[in-house]
Amino acid sequence: MADHTSSLCYFLSVCLLVTCTRGESPYRFFTWNVTYGDIYPLGVRQQGILINGQFPGPPIEAVTNDNLIISVFNALDEPFLISWNGVQQRRNSWQDGVYGTNCPIPPGRNFTYVLQVKDQIGSYFYFPSLAFHKAAGGYGGIKIASRPLIPVPFDPPAGDFTLLAGDWYKKNHTDLKAILDGGSDLPLPDGLLINGRGSNGFTYTVDQGKTYRFRISNAGLTTAINFRIQGHKMLLVEVEGTHTLQNTYDSIDIHLGQSYSVLVTADQPAQDYYIVVSTRFTSQVLSATSILHYSNSAGSVSGPPPGGPTTQIDWSLEQARSLRRNLTASGPRPNPQGSYHYGLINTTHTVRLQNTAPIINGKQRYAVNSVSFIPADTPLNLADYFKIPGVFSLGSIPDNPTGGGAYLQTSVMAADFRGYAEVVFENPEDTVQSWHIDGHNFFVVGMDGGQWTPASRLTYNLRDTISRCTVQVYPKSWTAVYMPLDNVGMWNVRSENWARQYLGQQFYLRVYSPANSWRDEYPIPSNALLCGRAVGHRT
């Protein structure tokens, strides 16, 4: 009963806060029961994580600025958290749902997330962030539509489909976690899934001559994928909240943690066609298919599924460079996306982040600038708020590669609110990397092979690149982004390769404002769970 009362009190206080400071925006209520259940995604019985008995979990559909009240009941036998990949949590890192900001929901308890999709549109997904739960399911799609009076740069589609794809293992998540805890890396996945099912387990029905929106997210663990539809072109319209120039593609690479929206017109002869996802940059190509079914179909799928790119890096790099921001389209607000001239703002500092794969104490680890992250005994946001000493130290990760030996540390980097950072991701390894930053979008100004130098800035796109929250870095290459530090809080910077994230390739960015004002950051929720050294403090 205490959990329900605390959640209700917090909800009422947030209602008051929202009404007074933001104007009244609609509320959407969700009640989720998280359980274990038998699933058979690759034909083998596994212990899956279900939300309301579903895998994938129930979709979230919202409109810009909606308030989402999500009550999560943890019926597992272990702690649990959900995070919201791409939802920025404006001034509200308390709802981010990663261990650096939140105490886990204990078994048999509930926690109510109260978050707002402030000034956002687009396609995202949620996922379980603790341990290795992501390998058991527990993820689902998020759609954020534009407000009714905000123009969208394409006609309303006849249908809107969410497609969550990614790699999958036949082993239970506990077995995969044990492999990593034992100091080894994971093997090649056993297959790919589309919306929780293996090949031909899902059918999308369309009417001939009509246009449909497909929102595709790579919710997998370790591998990039390529997406394509047999015999059909795809018109790219949105990438993680940015309306894009509407270029046409035969297939699209989607790296770990990324989300894309494409329009597909059912303009082919009436039959069934393959929808295909396949792995990229892997020694063995894995694939899965679904069916695009014309409602007046005269025949089933025929021939082999269409092939796609496999290990070609240059092909993928050129496609990534072709992604452009639609400067005249409105985003979540009525002003055009191009009215924010990101390339004319002077950067306040440069951060270079280099990934490595060291062996530490005889075990495989992963590191950023020679630091392999280890969780503290108390969420960092709570330690910061309650001024608990000894949990973390600012500057415990350097802002440039050191070239020195790797070590274990609870790494936190300091940043000033309203700064404007140039962040360069450097990848000296032979595998493609994927990086995500919570709480922020950034402008992908450049990427290329070789070593980044200050002269690389001459190649930057400072006019119409896209902004997003997850970006790839190709093997032996670099990717540079410009990032407005416009969201106060403790934010996770991580590899979206979940084995690398679990074994240390992450850190936290503390964006700090000395004003201590609700205009910069909301107060700690009254229903915040307390754990570690935060126990005994008052919210």
Side-chain angles (χ1 to χ4, degrees):
M1 181 64 72
D3 288 344
H4 295 278
T5 303
S6 176
S7 296
L8 178 61
C9 290
Y10 176 55
F11 164 64
L12 292 175
S13 67
V14 169
C15 287
L16 179 62
L17 176 65
V18 169
T19 302
C20 294
T21 63
R22 298 186 243 181
E24 191 66 44
S25 294
Y27 287 82
R28 298 178 187 264
F29 296 86
F30 305 83
T31 300
W32 288 356
N33 190 35
V34 181
T35 62
Y36 291 123
D38 288 344
I39 58 175
Y40 301 80
L42 292 177
V44 175
R45 184 169 68 91
Q46 295 177 258
Q47 183 189 65
I49 292 178
L50 312 180
I51 300 179
N52 293 350
Q54 302 175 43
F55 168 58
I60 292 176
E61 297 189 10
V63 176
T64 300
N65 293 348
D66 280 357
N67 298 285
L68 309 182
I69 315 299
I70 307 170
S71 185
V72 178
F73 293 81
N74 178 15
L76 307 181
D77 59 3
E78 55 186 324
F80 185 78
L81 274 177
I82 289 181
S83 191
W84 324 91
N85 206 73
V87 176
Q88 292 179 13
Q89 313 289 358
R90 306 302 302 177
R91 296 184 283 173
N92 199 18
S93 66
W94 305 108
Q95 309 295 330
D96 201 32
V98 292
Y99 182 67
T101 58
N102 296 96
C103 291
I105 307 170
R109 296 271 301 276
N110 81 293
F111 177 75
T112 299
Y113 292 88
V114 180
L115 54 96
Q116 187 184 35
V117 288
K118 179 69 174 170
D119 288 335
Q120 284 193 268
I121 58 168
S123 311
Y124 310 95
F125 64 95
Y126 61 84
F127 68 95
S129 63
L130 285 185
F132 216 63
H133 290 159
K134 193 178 179 186
Y139 57 75
I142 301 174
K143 302 177 185 178
I144 307 175
S146 296
R147 288 176 290 172
L149 297 181
I150 306 298
V152 175
F154 50 88
D155 293 332
D160 193 322
F161 302 119
T162 293
L163 195 149
L164 302 171
D167 53 22
W168 192 261
Y169 290 88
K170 293 180 180 178
K171 292 181 181 292
N172 283 338
H173 74 281
T174 50
D175 297 326
L176 297 173
K177 181 176 176 293
I179 292 173
L180 297 173
D181 290 340
S184 300
D185 198 2
L186 297 181
L188 186 74
D190 295 302
L192 298 182
L193 302 184
I194 298 175
N195 282 350
R197 302 180 187 179
S199 283
N200 300 339
F202 214 89
T203 298
Y204 299 87
T205 300
V206 297
D207 293 332
Q208 194 168 30
K210 295 183 178 180
T211 297
Y212 297 82
R213 182 173 184 169
F214 284 81
R215 304 172 188 257
I216 315 107
S217 294
N218 184 342
L221 298 169
T222 66
T223 51
I225 58 174
N226 180 266
F227 176 84
R228 52 200 180 272
I229 301 178
Q230 183 183 24
H232 292 73
K233 302 288 187 181
M234 297 180 291
L235 193 70
L236 183 67
V237 293
E238 177 250 335
V239 175
E240 293 161 25
T242 297
H243 287 309
T244 65
L245 286 185
Q246 295 178 11
N247 295 329
T248 300
Y249 299 91
D250 293 317
S251 70
I252 294 179
D253 279 354
I254 305 175
H255 297 267
L256 288 163
Q258 294 183 340
S259 299
Y260 288 74
S261 279
V262 297
L263 297 181
V264 178
T265 300
D267 56 3
Q268 298 301 303
Q271 62 180 60
D272 291 356
Y273 298 87
Y274 283 112
I275 298 172
V276 187
V277 291
S278 59
T279 57
R280 290 286 267 125
F281 320 114
T282 55
S283 56
Q284 175 187 347
V285 177
L286 307 174
S287 64
T289 55
S290 287
I291 303 300
L292 185 72
H293 170 69
Y294 280 51
S295 58
N296 60 338
S297 175
S300 60
V301 290
S302 60
T310 54
T311 60
Q312 302 93 327
I313 293 172
D314 288 346
W315 184 94
S316 188
L317 175 62
E318 288 307 309
Q319 182 178 87
R321 288 171 170 165
S322 73
L323 305 181
R324 291 287 188 267
R325 165 183 293 253
N326 185 332
L327 297 177
T328 60
S330 298
R333 295 188 178 191
N335 51 300
Q337 293 180 145
S339 61
Y340 184 84
H341 300 287
Y342 69 92
L344 300 180
I345 303 172
N346 292 327
T347 56
T348 55
H349 62 290
T350 296
V351 176
R352 294 169 50 212
L353 302 174
Q354 186 179 95
N355 52 268
T356 53
I359 303 296
I360 302 178
N361 299 329
K363 294 185 176 183
Q364 178 66 68
R365 297 287 301 184
Y366 295 97
V368 188
N369 288 358
S370 300
V371 186
S372 186
F373 182 86
I374 52 173
D377 60 8
T378 305
L380 309 179
N381 222 19
L382 293 178
D384 199 27
Y385 179 81
F386 292 121
K387 296 180 172 54
I388 301 171
V391 176
F392 71 91
S393 298
L394 288 176
S396 45
I397 177 172
D399 56 12
N400 284 282
T402 66
Y407 55 95
L408 304 175
Q409 179 69 264
T410 302
S411 39
V412 180
M413 184 178 292
D416 292 329
F417 182 45
R418 296 200 176 100
Y420 194 67
E422 176 188 38
V423 181
V424 182
F425 298 101
E426 301 180 0
N427 178 19
E429 298 184 67
D430 292 326
T431 55
V432 66
Q433 306 294 311
S434 189
W435 285 94
H436 176 89
I437 301 179
D438 279 353
H440 295 80
N441 267 20
F442 46 71
F443 297 88
V444 185
V445 293
M447 55 176 64
D448 206 349
Q451 177 66 44
W452 180 90
T453 69
S456 302
R457 294 175 177 136
L458 298 175
T459 68
Y460 284 3
N461 175 358
L462 299 181
R463 181 176 182 271
D464 66 347
T465 191
I466 57 169
S467 67
R468 62 188 316 170
C469 57
T470 309
V471 71
Q472 72 272 24
V473 192
Y474 292 101
K476 298 189 182 303
S477 300
W478 57 268
T479 294
V481 307
Y482 280 0
M483 188 171 87
L485 297 166
D486 57 0
N487 202 6
V488 172
M490 187 77 70
W491 302 107
N492 190 222
V493 181
R494 63 175 177 267
S495 171
E496 286 285 344
N497 181 311
W498 220 239
R500 284 178 168 262
Q501 179 273 156
Y502 181 78
L503 292 179
Q505 195 169 305
Q506 61 170 306
F507 65 95
Y508 281 81
L509 185 70
R510 179 186 183 252
V511 180
Y512 176 70
S513 169
N516 193 26
S517 167
W518 284 17
R519 291 175 299 177
D520 297 341
E521 183 179 26
Y522 295 145
I524 187 171
S526 60
N527 72 328
L529 299 173
L530 301 182
C531 56
R533 288 185 249 178
V535 171
H537 289 265
R538 296 177 62 85
T539 57

